[in-house]
Amino acid sequence: MVKVPTKLVTWDEIVEWSMGLAEVIKSSGFRPDVVVAVSRGGYIPARLVCDFMLVDNLISIQSQHWTEAAKVAEKALIKYPYKVDLSGQRALLVDDIVDTGDTLILARDFILSEWKPKELKIAALQWISPVAKIKPDFYYIEVKDWMWFQYPWTRHEDTVQFIKRALSEEGKSKKVWSFEEIRNVFIEYYGIDVGEVYFKLALKSLVDLGFLKEEGGKYFIKV
Ligand code: AMP
């Protein structure tokens, strides 16, 4: 049974969704002078929205939401709080997905108070309506049941984390694994197949990180 509902998103879907999002924005009559990508997830959607809306100006802001080691306190922060003068400009803040909405709220508040645009609107490819604290001005897909969207730009990072999580759980009773066994447990946990190239790359990274040891085609969980 799948433990974490996950959808593998393709590059073609990203292009289609970004084109759809640009159409939603255009039909509202809003014409941004500058697009602000929320780093890191909003980079590619923001670049595509610029393309489909023929916007030349693209900058970014890194708003990050992180959980402290003990997992008690969650914090969001603007990583590089540089100053940009957006006075007199209509700005469009673009992200991939609004889940809790915390990173976007932080970015929006920072831009309004520090960069002072004439107008600021928010766009996201996806909006998880039951859990999000804010509704973006523009979105392409409303998600009604929470799931993890495995976007193509985090495929390696997610695969590494996913394998680590599944093996940390299963590794309590089994320390030695074959490639096929790891692949099967991955599909069982997440219900998606990232393909052999990404899978091999992730296992290599987990060996480099010291989480796994490889010997004679078998993988040993070290920690
Ligand atoms: P949040 O502050 O919870 O709205 O989300 C911050 C960022 O985490 C998003 O911009 C995404 O890059 C990533 N993220 C959060 N939830 C998801 C999800 N369900 N699927 C994929 N990425 C997500």
Side-chain angles (χ1 to χ4, degrees):
M1 206 190 70
V2 172
K3 299 203 176 170
V4 183
T6 306
K7 173 179 162 48
L8 187 95
V9 182
T10 65
W11 283 112
D12 282 352
E13 281 172 313
I14 291 303
V15 174
E16 185 194 322
W17 298 356
S18 302
M19 197 183 283
L21 178 63
E23 289 304 318
V24 170
I25 302 165
K26 278 191 235 173
S27 58
S28 78
F30 183 68
R31 293 283 177 276
D33 301 301
V34 58
V35 166
V36 184
V38 181
S39 175
R40 294 175 297 164
Y43 260 103
I44 290 161
R47 181 62 188 91
L48 290 170
V49 165
C50 281
D51 189 28
F52 297 130
M53 295 193 73
L54 301 175
V55 174
D56 289 338
N57 304 319
L58 172 63
I59 57 176
S60 78
I61 186 163
Q62 185 152 13
S63 177
Q64 217 173 41
H65 197 211
W66 47 279
T67 310
E68 286 185 328
K71 291 203 171 183
V72 276
E74 292 222 334
K75 283 189 179 169
L77 86 166
I78 300 295
K79 248 188 157 176
Y80 302 96
Y82 44 79
K83 277 266 193 183
V84 178
D85 182 8
L86 291 186
S87 51
Q89 301 204 44
R90 282 181 298 265
L92 178 68
L93 191 55
V94 177
D95 208 349
D96 48 4
I97 189 164
V98 189
D99 188 331
T100 64
D102 287 335
T103 54
L104 262 174
I105 290 170
L106 187 76
R108 176 198 64 192
D109 293 349
F110 179 82
I111 291 169
L112 286 174
S113 75
E114 303 294 319
W115 297 1
K116 299 187 171 35
K118 180 167 77 182
E119 201 176 353
L120 179 68
K121 295 219 182 261
I122 296 178
L125 297 179
Q126 298 182 282
W127 169 48
I128 312 189
S129 54
V131 296
K133 293 178 191 130
I134 52 163
K135 180 181 181 183
D137 299 291
F138 312 111
Y139 58 90
Y140 185 60
I141 294 169
E142 176 179 357
V143 178
K144 299 236 170 87
D145 296 305
W146 189 93
M147 67 175 73
W148 185 262
F149 291 89
Q150 203 306 287
Y151 296 121
W153 50 82
T154 52
R155 195 146 293 156
H156 177 57
E157 196 176 297
D158 282 356
T159 306
V160 168
Q161 286 308 321
F162 285 6
I163 295 176
K164 203 171 164 188
R165 227 182 295 158
L167 288 188
S168 299
E169 187 61 34
E170 300 295 318
K172 288 172 194 154
S173 51
K174 177 173 162 65
K175 295 282 175 207
V176 186
W177 293 75
S178 70
F179 179 84
E180 279 311 316
E181 284 171 335
I182 302 177
R183 207 165 165 182
N184 289 339
V185 88
F186 182 94
I187 294 170
E188 187 190 314
Y189 264 59
Y190 304 103
I192 59 166
D193 187 354
V194 294
E196 195 159 319
V197 171
Y198 273 101
F199 210 76
K200 284 191 168 153
L201 191 67
L203 287 175
K204 191 169 172 294
S205 289
L206 285 165
V207 170
D208 291 345
L209 289 166
F211 178 78
L212 291 176
K213 188 176 79 172
E214 199 225 323
E215 226 173 71
K218 294 273 181 201
Y219 291 91
F220 299 77
I221 301 173
K222 284 172 71 182
V223 283

